[in-house]
Amino acid sequence: MTVREVLRTHARTQGARAEDASEPAEDASAWAGAHAAGVSAEAEGEGGHTSSAAPASTVAAGRAAQELGLRRAQFELAVHLGLIAVVGAPGGGRPRVREEEIARLREQPGFPDDLAERVRTVGTAEGAGLLNIAPARFTRLARAGCVSPVTFYLNRYRAVVWLYLADELAAFAAREPELLAGRTPPGMRTMLESGTDWRARNWRAQRIDRLLDRTPDPWARAAVQASALDPVQLAEVVDDPYERAYLVRVRPEPVFGRPGSMAAREAMGELTPADDPDEILWRRVNLALELDRAREDRPAPRPGGDRGVRAAPAVRSGPAAVGVPTRKRLLARLGWRVRGTG
């Protein structure tokens, strides 16, 4: 399929789409899609997990994937992207899909081809082919942040292989055609020569944003932000050990389980924390803001007393009641000094 065909497909289907999705290029990517799945589109409670009340008219995820014409890895990634809503099974267990949800998807125009296209991912070589550019140029565009990976898998050498939504590549080609040919812009060239690589950072940002979109509980939202910080950074922002423990407890878990292999878990552990100074600062700021909102909603549990729960802080009146600290106080809490304070 040429870039023109990709663009035609994108233009034909864009109006009917609520958001993009993709399909891992190989079965080896299934664990990445499963971990990326985060919490379900019907999250509830302080942990943001799937609803525990599954009605009788539900089917198992495997059967739902079959009825929708998707491979299991495609299905799991579609859940992460918010294209398919799932509910929890009674008493726990693997999530299920309402029959009404399957019927809704099957009734959409272009089913099943459109749904399959919406959950299709490509690697570097195939993505370059779709855009009719060299793989080296595609890699430069990805490193510069022009296109963002949606998931990844480990190849036989345990190297990370990034995967991209085919639909997002088509949108990029339509939006920035000048970047597909000619000389690389000077600013981008300078970035790349300095070693810039935004692939992991953009993957983290999209993953966090999608988790936040379906996570209403304030403490679970703070836990999502905390997941992008290593233990040292986290302890500097959240100095209360009980609050740190609570953030771990309510952190949204993957719908379909954690990566199975040790190598997969290690790769996820290395890629999840922010690793650039300005990205780290951004995550610390966002965690501090979410933490203020969570504390106003309810205190973190503590051992002893009234089931270990502290009294809720007094609600402030006026503009300060929104829980957004001033820039100087916020940076002080984060361990950063305000420029010009000596």
Side-chain angles (χ1 to χ4, degrees):
M1 182 181 292
T2 67
V3 66
R4 292 185 179 87
E5 292 171 326
V6 173
L7 292 175
R8 284 198 297 268
T9 299
H10 176 76
R12 187 176 66 251
T13 57
Q14 187 65 26
R17 297 179 183 176
E19 54 183 305
D20 297 319
S22 73
E23 154 196 346
E26 302 184 19
D27 289 338
S29 67
W31 67 265
H35 189 93
V39 295
S40 100
E42 300 190 2
E44 68 170 17
E46 64 184 16
H49 297 292
T50 57
S51 169
S52 61
S57 57
T58 62
V59 299
R63 178 180 165 188
Q66 184 178 20
E67 293 190 14
L68 294 173
L70 302 175
R71 297 207 317 263
R72 185 58 179 264
Q74 295 174 305
F75 175 85
E76 292 173 359
L77 189 55
V79 171
H80 167 59
L81 295 171
L83 297 175
I84 303 174
V86 298
V87 295
R94 299 178 70 80
R96 300 175 67 83
V97 182
R98 290 192 176 98
E99 292 182 350
E100 292 85 351
E101 175 71 356
I102 296 174
R104 180 188 69 83
L105 293 167
R106 291 176 63 91
E107 291 170 359
Q108 290 184 349
F111 179 86
D113 294 340
D114 274 8
L115 180 59
E117 181 65 21
R118 296 171 72 184
V119 291
R120 184 165 71 96
T121 56
V122 295
T124 296
E126 190 176 355
L130 289 175
L131 301 182
N132 199 26
I133 60 177
R137 190 180 189 98
F138 183 94
T139 299
R140 290 196 299 270
L141 292 172
R143 286 179 54 202
C146 297
V147 293
S148 302
V150 69
T151 187
F152 65 90
Y153 69 92
L154 300 183
N155 63 15
R156 68 181 65 182
Y157 306 107
R158 295 190 176 184
V160 171
V161 178
W162 293 109
L163 299 173
Y164 305 81
L165 288 169
D167 190 61
E168 286 189 353
L169 296 184
F172 165 73
R175 186 175 63 251
E176 306 284 353
E178 67 278 2
L179 293 179
L180 302 180
R183 295 178 59 83
T184 302
M188 185 184 299
R189 187 164 59 248
T190 300
M191 288 174 53
L192 295 173
E193 289 173 354
S194 69
T196 296
D197 189 343
W198 281 63
R199 288 175 292 185
R201 178 173 179 167
N202 282 346
W203 169 77
R204 283 190 292 270
Q206 289 192 357
R207 178 175 178 271
I208 288 173
D209 288 346
R210 285 173 175 134
L211 285 173
L212 290 175
D213 284 344
R214 65 194 66 178
T215 306
D217 179 74
W219 280 98
R221 291 177 62 85
V224 171
Q225 296 287 359
S227 68
L229 296 174
D230 64 34
V232 174
Q233 297 283 346
L234 178 60
E236 290 179 355
V237 180
V238 188
D239 55 5
D240 187 329
Y242 296 108
E243 289 185 338
R244 292 200 302 273
Y246 193 46
L247 290 174
V248 172
R249 182 173 133 197
V250 300
R251 182 176 300 169
E253 293 292 341
V255 173
F256 295 99
R258 296 180 179 276
S261 70
M262 179 63 69
R265 291 194 294 271
E266 290 176 353
M268 184 64 71
E270 293 173 0
L271 290 171
T272 299
D275 58 7
D276 187 77
D278 64 334
E279 182 191 5
I280 292 172
L281 176 58
W282 176 249
R283 291 304 166 196
R284 288 169 65 120
V285 168
N286 279 279
L287 172 58
L289 295 175
E290 293 287 359
L291 197 60
D292 282 344
R293 298 183 184 105
R295 287 165 174 164
E296 290 181 352
D297 181 74
R298 66 182 184 277
R302 304 180 76 86
D306 183 16
R307 299 188 62 183
V309 179
R310 290 176 289 137
V315 178
R316 297 185 296 272
S317 60
V322 298
V324 179
T326 66
R327 179 172 177 266
K328 182 178 293 187
R329 286 193 295 116
L330 179 58
L331 292 179
R333 285 173 52 193
L334 301 176
W336 293 70
R337 297 168 63 181
V338 179
R339 185 174 297 177
T341 58

